[in-house]
Amino acid sequence: MTSLADIRVIDAATLFAGPSAAMMLGDFGADVIKIEHPRRGDPSRGHGAAKDGVGLWWKSLSRNKRAAAVDLSRAEGQEILRRLARESDVLVENFRPGTLERWGLAPDDLLALNPRLIVARMTGFGQVGPMARQPGFGTLAEAMSGFAAMTGQPDGPPTLPPLALADGIAGLAMSYAIMVALHARERTGRGQVVDMAIIEPILGLLGPQMTAYKALGVVPRRTGNRSSSNAPRNTYRTRDGRWLAVSTSAQTIAERVVTLVGRPDLVEQPWFSSGAGRVRHVEELDEAVGSWIAERDAEEVIARFEEAQAAIAPIYDVKDIAEDAQYQALNTFVELPDEELGTVTVQNVLFRLSETPGEVRWAGRALGRDTDEVLGELDYTPEQIKQLREDGVIA
């Protein structure tokens, strides 16, 4: 048994945030139907590395989804979506505000067809406000949230992440929002509209920056790998050229670290008793920890930290991740048979449930691979499906 086996999701979103939310629902058993344009497909098919012309990001992002290719700008395609909406629990979409309304597929229209439907709307800037109709991507959220302003070296430029960070955070938030709406439906019997702006969820992960600004006028500054809340916290290079990350968010860990590196006297200093106090003496703390680590090889440093029950981790690249025993023990990655590539490796579900575990059943499929099956379930005849394909409505 899987947790969401009784839930059907229409994934009509593109690129990363909305499709990520649908992917997470599919990981726990939801029947996710991915709707793509029959000629262009989802742009994420062309993002990142490819093997034999097949996008690998797509393989992970669209796992556990049935692939149907439908042109929603055509009247016949809009009718297909209406039929799907009648039989579904969730619609995830990220069209620019006003697009669904122009097609006669506004949330009110869809809820009239199926009052239990959850219409999950993911856009860059939300459905209202002066920027609502502007194109929005995760990069803009990373810029507008304050993330880029506080990321990078103190004397360097604002720094954007080399990945779809804001999209991923918004995807997690949307999957949570959908589950909240589904739970509410059990009490009210009614669906509802979820309005999520990608610029908002990332704010919550940056700490109480607005709270501190309104209360104290504090504007976060770039600190490199250091923390503005506690010290020592940095990356340090070992004698054999490895980089290690040290965290001392807990007071007891900070005490263990400085004792390990031969500076137990620091624990007795009045300023050492709080993270804020230690930040004011970050140069002295970094010198103590960094010089001790620099005199030793990584293997010895990690072993000594573990003996002291202090927090340390190596800086990994993907090759290190693939070989790491902890990830292997958690079964963090799974290898799947694949119709296009033979086999493909993707990350496993994000958490383990003891009674209703999730599962990655298949990787992202070829464009339109399941169109006939999906339309057949909506009572389209083989002749109708053939005509829709000849007319370019489906693929």
Side-chain angles (χ1 to χ4, degrees):
M1 178 182 175
T2 52
S3 305
L4 303 177
D6 58 336
I7 299 297
R8 171 175 280 184
V9 179
I10 308 167
D11 176 7
T14 56
L15 290 172
F16 306 115
S20 293
M23 177 197 75
M24 293 173 206
L25 301 178
D27 281 352
F28 286 89
D31 175 20
V32 181
I33 300 172
K34 174 68 180 179
I35 303 294
E36 301 176 77
H37 193 280
R39 288 168 293 283
R40 296 192 297 270
D42 189 311
S44 65
R45 286 182 179 271
H47 276 252
K51 180 180 179 182
D52 300 333
V54 178
L56 298 177
W57 203 332
W58 170 262
K59 285 294 175 185
S60 180
L61 183 64
S62 285
R63 67 202 199 188
N64 292 336
K65 300 179 184 180
R66 293 195 284 167
V70 180
D71 187 346
L72 296 179
S73 70
R74 301 274 296 273
E76 302 92 332
Q78 292 155 14
E79 177 57 26
I80 291 172
L81 187 66
R82 291 188 189 95
R83 292 200 193 185
L84 269 175
R86 289 190 186 98
E87 306 296 327
S88 298
D89 300 279
V90 180
L91 166 65
V92 181
E93 64 93 8
N94 70 338
F95 295 103
R96 200 175 301 188
T99 301
L100 285 184
E101 288 78 357
R102 189 173 70 251
W103 289 342
L105 300 170
D108 286 348
D109 297 323
L110 297 175
L111 286 166
L113 295 172
N114 179 2
R116 292 175 57 81
L117 184 68
I118 309 299
V119 182
R121 314 194 79 175
M122 177 80 81
T123 57
F125 305 108
Q127 298 294 317
V128 299
M131 299 183 69
R133 293 179 180 268
Q134 295 187 24
F137 298 96
T139 297
L140 308 188
E142 290 143 14
M144 292 178 63
S145 65
F147 174 88
M150 66 174 68
T151 303
Q153 295 301 319
D155 57 350
T159 303
L160 293 167
L163 49 93
L165 178 65
D167 288 286
I169 295 170
L172 283 163
M174 179 59 91
S175 66
Y176 166 66
I178 290 169
M179 295 307 300
V180 170
L182 288 171
H183 181 73
R185 190 181 71 175
E186 294 304 305
R187 300 174 62 191
T188 68
R190 300 189 306 276
Q192 58 184 300
V193 179
V194 178
D195 174 11
M196 181 167 292
I198 297 174
I199 60 172
E200 290 185 302
I202 188 174
L203 289 170
L205 271 70
L206 299 180
Q209 59 172 341
M210 185 59 68
T211 306
Y213 174 70
K214 289 293 187 179
L216 303 170
V218 174
V219 177
R221 302 299 181 188
R222 290 187 287 283
T223 59
N225 290 318
R226 289 173 171 171
S227 169
S228 60
S229 302
N230 67 84
R233 189 266 199 181
N234 212 328
T235 60
Y236 305 94
R237 196 170 190 177
T238 64
R239 183 170 59 189
D240 55 348
R242 297 287 304 278
W243 287 94
L244 306 176
V246 172
S247 175
T248 57
S249 296
Q251 178 68 24
T252 54
I253 299 297
E255 294 172 2
R256 292 169 190 167
V257 168
V258 296
T259 300
L260 171 64
V261 303
R263 293 297 307 275
D265 57 295
L266 295 174
V267 178
E268 305 304 321
Q269 299 297 322
W271 51 262
F272 196 88
S273 61
S274 71
R278 297 196 302 274
V279 167
R280 292 195 294 270
H281 294 262
V282 65
E283 298 293 345
E284 183 178 3
L285 291 167
D286 265 350
E287 170 59 26
V289 176
S291 61
W292 186 89
I293 289 176
E295 295 172 353
R296 293 162 174 82
D297 291 345
E299 184 176 352
E300 178 189 352
V301 173
I302 293 172
R304 295 282 297 276
F305 264 71
E306 290 177 349
E307 289 172 5
Q309 298 184 38
I312 194 168
I315 304 294
Y316 275 175
D317 61 21
V318 69
K319 181 177 181 294
D320 299 314
I321 295 169
E323 298 171 352
D324 182 77
Q326 182 60 36
Y327 284 123
Q328 291 172 9
L330 293 171
N331 196 30
T332 302
F333 300 92
V334 292
E335 187 174 276
L336 306 169
D338 185 73
E339 293 174 348
E340 295 178 290
L341 297 178
T343 60
V344 63
T345 298
V346 301
Q347 187 171 338
N348 209 339
V349 299
L350 295 183
F351 48 87
R352 287 155 289 279
L353 296 180
S354 61
E355 296 296 325
T356 57
E359 180 186 10
V360 184
R361 302 180 299 281
W362 63 81
R365 290 176 162 175
L367 180 65
R369 191 265 192 197
D370 304 296
T371 302
D372 289 17
E373 178 180 271
V374 170
L375 267 62
E377 293 170 358
L378 299 175
D379 296 327
Y380 282 86
T381 67
E383 292 75 19
Q384 290 174 314
I385 293 171
K386 179 181 179 183
Q387 188 62 55
L388 287 168
R389 182 166 284 113
E390 290 176 355
D391 293 341
V393 177
I394 65 172

